[in-house]
Amino acid sequence: MTATEYVPIPARLDFDALVPAFARVVNQLDEAATAELDRVGIEPALRELVRLRASQLNGCAYCVDMHARAARRAGVTPQRVDAVAIWADSNLFTAAERAALDFTEQVTLLATTKVPESAVTAAVAAYGEEGAAALLTLVIAINTWNTIGVTTRCWPTAIRRRD
């Protein structure tokens, strides 16, 4: 193998083939979250930033790749996509986006954080109760996908020459 060859990461389980009914339900969960976000008017760009940040925290290579590309397609600048990993130290995010990203981190890391009241309060202040609840559905959905992806590695990250 040369220095320019990518290292293949083998799948552990073919999740979609092994539990197709469950895989369909997870997809329906994601669709339901998207419908709630549509209903409350949360923009696609923010959705992808939330998905990207949760996926970074969970270490899901497939989802990080997919949601970074989706964020750019939704109009997020490459600089902001790159800065999601360090959003708390970046001036590239609005107060409302920062509330959503903090909420995402607190929920994603809930075993450690216990989701402090301040994160929920900030999300409600920025998006209202329905918006905060819709954001929660998105974080639940992406964390479910991340759990599947990290555990099974069933979806390889595609190698692209261009985005």
Side-chain angles (χ1 to χ4, degrees), residues 33-56:
T34 299
E36 291 299 329
L37 296 162
D38 286 343
R39 184 179 65 77
V40 299
I42 293 179
E43 297 294 322
L46 179 61
R47 299 172 197 190
E48 295 307 327
L49 293 174
V50 165
R51 287 176 172 129
L52 176 57
R53 186 60 189 137
S55 298
Q56 289 171 338

Side-chain angles (χ1 to χ4, degrees), residues 26 35 37 42 66 84 105 137 149:
V26 173
L37 296 162
I42 293 179
M66 177 173 50
V84 168
E105 285 193 10
T137 69

Side-chain angles (χ1 to χ4, degrees), residues 12 14-15 39-40 52 67-68 82-83 85 90 108 112 148 157:
R12 293 175 176 165
D14 186 350
F15 186 83
R39 184 179 65 77
V40 299
L52 176 57
H67 296 298
D82 293 345
S90 173
T108 299
T112 305
I148 296 165
T157 303

